[in-house]
Structures are given as C-alpha cells and as structure tokens.
Amino acid sequence: EWTQPKYLINGMYATISKNNTIYYTDLTKGFKNPIISKAVFEEDKIISVEALPEVINAGNENAHPYIHPDEKFILFDSNKAGGYGNFDLYISFNNNGVWTKPVNLGPEINTEHYESIPYISPDGNFLFFCRYKEQGDIYWLDTKIIYNLKPNYLK
C-alpha cells in the first residue's frame, strides 16, 4: 500500500545513487534558470543540499540529471554554448569526487532539436532520451557511446 506523498525538495526529475544521494533539477532560482543540485537523504529526510559545482552548472538551464548508481558519471541536458541545437545531452565523469568538464554527447545523439531527459536502462546497456521536434519522441541506443567519451586517465 502506498503512503501519503510528502514534499521532498524544490525541484524535479530526481535520480538517486546507491548511497542515497539525490541528484535533481533545482528550481530555487526559478523555472527558467534551473541548476543541478544534490541532496543527501537519510532516515526519510533530507539532511544536506548542495548545488553541483560551476563546472556542471556553467551556462543556463542545466536540468534533468541521471546519476550512475555508483556516481561514476552524470548525464544531463543543457543549452551550453557550442551545442548542436536547442538543448543537448552532456556527460561529466566523477574523478575521485571531482566532476570533469561536461562533454557534449555529439552529433550521433544531439541535433538542432531539443534533446533531454537522459536515462540508462537498469542493466546499463541502453541510453534512453527524449527529442522534441513537434512532439516528444523517445530514442535509445547502446551505452558504448558514453564509455567512448570517458577520458583515458579515468579508464
């Protein structure tokens, strides 16, 4: 049986790692200026909240994160300068607690349209995301593209 829902945090599109850290689209600066933040969740409550570093949140409108269960990488969408279109998908790798500069997932995924809301299948084999042209469509492909973007010094 479901319990009554409880207000958790001022945000949306939450994703959680194995250690109960919630990564989410933080709306405290407004709906038109979202950032990605993390919240530590223990014993049914949030005990700390922190925006991800500027390397992740640089630019405008960083949103819809997906965190690897072991926090090895984070995927998200953004309209960072130099992208392929409206919003693109990016990845940043965790290097001993320090996030690398986000890398655009490239033209195999990103187009002039709005790509967003990345998600990895539970088995880790497929990347799903939305592409909005006139309506939102769901696309998927092998996650090898992600691991090919991983810097050599982290392999």
Side-chain angles (χ1 to χ4, degrees), residues 43-61:
E43 298 178 17
D44 294 334
K45 63 184 174 194
I46 301 292
I47 62 167
S48 69
V49 175
E50 161 185 6
L52 291 191
E54 182 68 18
V55 70
I56 300 288
N57 282 314
N60 294 322
E61 300 184 80

Side-chain angles (χ1 to χ4, degrees), residues 21 27 37 41 78 123 126 133-134 147 154:
T21 301
L27 299 174
S37 291
F41 186 73
S78 179
D123 64 8
F126 300 100
K133 296 178 186 178
E134 288 135 22
Y147 298 104
L154 293 176

Side-chain angles (χ1 to χ4, degrees), residues 77-79 83-90 104 106-107 109-116 129-137 139:
D77 57 71
S78 179
N79 67 354
Y84 292 90
N86 189 343
F87 275 73
D88 287 348
L89 297 184
Y90 289 83
N104 187 299
I109 293 177
N110 294 311
T111 68
E112 71 276 7
H113 302 291
Y114 184 133
E115 282 78 29
S116 68
F129 64 95
C130 292
R131 178 174 295 140
Y132 295 90
K133 296 178 186 178
E134 288 135 22
Q135 64 183 24
D137 291 316
Y139 292 78

Side-chain angles (χ1 to χ4, degrees), residues 20-40:
N20 287 333
T21 301
I22 301 167
Y23 291 76
Y24 65 100
T25 303
D26 185 338
L27 299 174
T28 56
K29 295 182 180 181
F31 192 76
K32 295 202 177 232
N33 194 22
I35 61 171
I36 298 172
S37 291
K38 68 178 184 174
V40 178

